[in-house]
Amino acid sequence: MTTTTTPRTPTGDAPLPSTRVRIAPGRAARAALVKIGLLGVLDALVVYAVLTLLAADHVALAITAAVAAALVNWVYLRRGWLPAKYLVPGTVFLLLFQLFVIVYSGYIAFTNYGDGHVGTKDDAIAVILSKSLTRVPDSPGYPMSVLERDGELSFLVAAPDGTVLLGGADRPLESVDGARLDGRTPVALDGYRTLDFAAMIADQQRIAATSVPFSDDPEAGALRTQDGSTAYRYAATMDWDPSTGTFTDRETGTVYADTGVGAFTDPDGTEIMPGWKIEVGFDNFTRAVTEKSIRGPLLGVIVWTFVFAGVSVASTFAAGVLLALLLDDPRMRLRRTFRALVILPYAFPPFLSALVWSGLLNPQFGFINQTLLGGADIPWLTDPLLAKVSILLVNLWLGYPYMFLVATGALQSIPSDYVEAAEMDGAGAWRRLMSIRMPLLMVTMAPLLISSFAFNFNNFNLIYMLTEGGPQDITTEMNVGSTDILITLVYKVAFGETSGRDYGLASAFSIIIFALVAAFAIYSFRRTRSLEDTHR
């Protein structure tokens, strides 16, 4: 129950009555319990996150999370500071989902993060040693069984001296007691599930890829098995020397050292993979500008991106405004019906429309070639020029309803007095359009044209659903097609299946896109500022 003080008329020097809302004690107690409960959930999550971060040696992030949680608790547990209580949730989400993503993407642009460079140097050393394992000739066989617990595989093996050992991919072999034996073969151990023949067949690849080290020293070798019943000793062909930080190939004697490129490299420049992630400064930006295999395709993609965005905005604007002017004429019948039909493409999801158009424009089986053009063999999506034309036409079909809706609303907001006054002064239809309606129309539509340009500059869905950036440009080794725009190129560089993933270079491209769009937006808004004087 909520009670309020009754306002009274002040008399003389009497103090003004309080207008503060008083909350019933029971309701206040429930609100306090809810607040404390939510803060408790938040604190529990933060404690878990801090412990996880500390376990991963991310001390700075752990301290940041703890300080942020303490600040949130302080804001909500103290009296007053009502604006801060409203601002904290939005600020937290802004920092997590906007600022952190931007800063982290910028950081990745200055690293070599990508295929072969995803972990630390210690991780790379361990993987290189593991990959260089080869079976030791004439090594004795170890009778064994494959055990499983909590999804992890373990080898239960019998050493030549009869000792039963247990180990996993991340746990060196250790002697265990209580294992049950079948002859010399250990077959079971309490707390573990022994894989039967069917289970080993189902998990064959994982079993064959498992290496169980003999000790914490990687050079001591490891046990591997191919059939799950007998393991053999494997030893590394690469010698790791921690004192010099080099690998030496036992067969060729080649020495691989850390030369500062994020990988062990021999004197001829040959690297052994995997490497590790390092900061490379402006190397990714320098590669984009100076490396011929990247510079050429990148320039072509930048030019096509501007052409695609510019023509798309111009064509959809022209079509939308033309239709809006025609359907704004009161002499036209069935205007509402026509307006409903015109905005139909706007009702379909763009990515679905692009897929439908991809089928319609199929050179061999598409409706357009086979039905409308009588079986013509026109390579709408496989010829570089026709593919670009097809994309522009499809984007016109998708984009003109939006311009039509905006133009229709803007035209109806123009005061009729202006047009009637011009008509009484003898201005013709063309003169009234160019001198009265279009300038007032542009006041509303100019900012939307700029945002439409920025949208089409990153129109990933249309390009990828219609052509996937193709047809492929065979003149370059880079995975780039004739219709790729910058955002699809970034996607291919970051997640490409044929040319490998290079997150650092993709992030550098993203920063270039941001700079281009920001520069165009600033320039356009300054140029359109003069339109604000139209109404004055």
Side-chain angles (χ1 to χ4, degrees), residues 7 70 95 183 306 315 386 485 488-489 504 532:
L95 293 176
F306 274 98
S315 60
L386 282 178
I485 59 176
T488 58
L489 179 63
E532 297 176 0

Side-chain angles (χ1 to χ4, degrees), residues 14 25 181 194 205 375 436 471:
L181 302 177
T194 302
Q205 291 186 349
I436 303 295

Side-chain angles (χ1 to χ4, degrees), residues 315-365:
S315 60
T316 55
F317 171 76
V321 170
L322 178 61
L323 288 172
L325 289 171
L326 292 175
L327 297 180
D328 192 52
D329 192 333
R331 295 170 296 179
M332 177 169 283
R333 297 180 178 178
L334 302 176
R335 286 192 299 164
R336 293 182 179 179
T337 303
F338 283 124
R339 283 173 175 167
L341 293 175
V342 165
I343 63 173
L344 271 182
Y346 205 48
F348 293 95
F351 71 94
L352 182 59
S353 299
L355 286 175
V356 171
W357 274 104
S358 178
L360 293 175
L361 294 171
N362 185 285
Q364 295 180 334
F365 312 106

Side-chain angles (χ1 to χ4, degrees), residues 387-412:
K388 292 177 180 177
V389 173
S390 301
I391 285 175
L392 291 174
L393 291 176
V394 172
N395 205 26
L396 170 62
W397 186 82
L398 288 171
Y400 82 86
Y402 170 73
M403 294 293 180
F404 167 77
L405 288 174
V406 176
T408 299
L411 286 173
Q412 292 177 353

Side-chain angles (χ1 to χ4, degrees), residues 36 88 174 226 281 373:
I36 292 174
V88 164
E174 294 181 346
Q226 296 298 322
L373 301 179

Side-chain angles (χ1 to χ4, degrees), residues 379-451:
W380 293 106
L381 302 178
T382 55
D383 179 78
L385 179 60
L386 282 178
K388 292 177 180 177
V389 173
S390 301
I391 285 175
L392 291 174
L393 291 176
V394 172
N395 205 26
L396 170 62
W397 186 82
L398 288 171
Y400 82 86
Y402 170 73
M403 294 293 180
F404 167 77
L405 288 174
V406 176
T408 299
L411 286 173
Q412 292 177 353
S413 67
I414 296 176
S416 58
D417 297 347
Y418 294 177
V419 180
E420 292 173 0
E423 189 174 1
M424 292 179 63
D425 289 341
W430 178 254
R431 182 69 173 175
R432 295 196 300 272
L433 172 64
M434 300 306 297
S435 300
I436 303 295
R437 306 182 82 179
M438 285 303 294
L440 294 174
L441 188 66
M442 291 304 296
V443 173
T444 302
M445 297 200 67
L448 299 177
L449 294 180
I450 297 172
S451 63

Side-chain angles (χ1 to χ4, degrees), residues 116-201:
H117 302 276
V118 297
T120 64
K121 186 176 181 179
D122 291 338
D123 296 335
I125 293 172
V127 173
I128 292 171
L129 288 173
S130 175
K131 288 175 61 179
S132 69
L133 290 175
T134 58
R135 182 177 173 181
V136 177
D138 302 328
S139 63
Y142 290 71
M144 61 161 291
S145 295
V146 181
L147 309 183
E148 184 271 339
R149 184 171 70 178
D150 297 332
E152 296 184 359
L153 298 180
S154 300
F155 288 180
L156 186 65
V157 302
D161 61 0
T163 306
V164 178
L165 306 172
L166 177 72
D170 301 323
R171 295 174 287 113
L173 290 169
E174 294 181 346
S175 62
V176 293
D177 299 323
R180 291 188 290 277
L181 302 177
D182 182 6
R184 287 188 60 241
T185 304
V187 296
L189 183 67
D190 291 341
Y192 290 85
R193 180 175 70 91
T194 302
L195 298 188
D196 56 17
F197 181 74
M200 286 195 292
I201 292 296

Side-chain angles (χ1 to χ4, degrees), residues 488-503:
T488 58
L489 179 63
V490 169
Y491 177 81
K492 288 183 176 180
V493 172
F495 307 105
E497 297 179 355
T498 58
S499 59
R501 290 165 290 188
D502 192 337
Y503 302 121

